[in-house]
Amino acid sequence: MRNKFFSSILVAAAMFVGAISNASAGVLYTGSGTWDSFASTTAFSGANKSWSFSFEIDSPASNPTSSIVDFHYSLGGLATSLDASSIQFYSAADGGMFNLTLSSGDVVSFFNKLGAPATDIGSNGNLVTGQWAVDLLGFGATGAEIHGAGVVTAVPEPSTWAMMILGFGALGFFAYRRRGLVATA
């Protein structure tokens, strides 16, 4: 009787923690690449300069959303003071990927690599994880197009991984306990 009560408490606690974790599950986006040799010098670009970013968004998210957390953008290996004001995801029918609006007012558009199928990574609010080769398009102060290329990766945030590992550990514990009970019976 005691074992069933203990098991019931553990299952209830796991379900409660899982529900809390699922309600605030987030996705960590990272990206890096290089602007082309014709890119004008702006707050976010420079000829042949490398770029990288990272930020988190809770899933599900509204579209567009300004709920961007912990945004970092580097240009040429140096951190910038830019922040992200919003992100808008597009369906595959609209070309896929997303537009990132920076605090400077500049908009950087991320597209699937030329020739690759369009990918919807969150237009319906449910964020998709994965890794994609991307082409970038931005506009300088003069209106000139700025092109670049890179890779964008989206992964569940660490707390989601921790909950999954905890769940597998609980399943393993229950299987171990059950096997011990069957062996003594």
Side-chain angles (χ1 to χ4, degrees):
M1 181 70 175
R2 185 173 159 224
N3 286 337
K4 285 185 180 184
F5 177 74
F6 179 68
S7 297
S8 298
I9 295 294
L10 275 178
V11 168
M15 290 175 70
F16 176 73
V17 172
I20 292 172
S21 175
N22 194 27
S24 64
V27 176
L28 172 66
Y29 286 86
T30 60
S32 61
T34 306
W35 292 104
D36 70 15
S37 60
F38 301 106
S40 55
T41 300
T42 68
F44 67 90
S45 68
N48 294 318
K49 288 205 174 186
S50 62
W51 57 267
S52 65
F53 68 80
S54 67
F55 60 88
E56 292 180 32
I57 301 177
D58 283 340
S59 180
S62 61
N63 189 29
T65 184
S66 57
S67 303
I68 300 169
V69 179
D70 204 20
F71 181 82
H72 300 281
Y73 186 84
S74 297
L75 180 62
L78 302 173
T80 67
S81 61
L82 290 173
D83 202 2
S85 55
S86 71
I87 187 169
Q88 180 166 5
F89 296 97
Y90 292 96
S91 68
D94 292 329
M97 298 311 281
F98 60 93
N99 280 355
L100 185 61
T101 304
L102 302 172
S103 57
S104 61
D106 297 306
V107 177
V108 181
S109 299
F110 292 78
F111 301 97
N112 288 94
K113 204 71 165 150
L114 187 62
T119 306
D120 182 348
I121 64 170
S123 68
N124 62 359
N126 294 316
L127 304 177
V128 176
T129 58
Q131 183 173 22
W132 306 276
V134 294
D135 287 325
L136 281 73
L137 174 63
F139 292 94
T142 62
E145 288 186 2
I146 303 169
H147 296 273
V151 174
V152 172
T153 304
V155 297
E157 66 182 5
S159 65
T160 305
W161 283 102
M163 288 305 303
M164 184 178 68
I165 291 168
L166 182 64
F168 283 132
L171 287 174
F173 174 75
F174 286 126
Y176 170 78
R177 293 277 300 170
R178 184 179 190 109
R179 187 177 54 196
L181 290 174
V182 170
T184 58

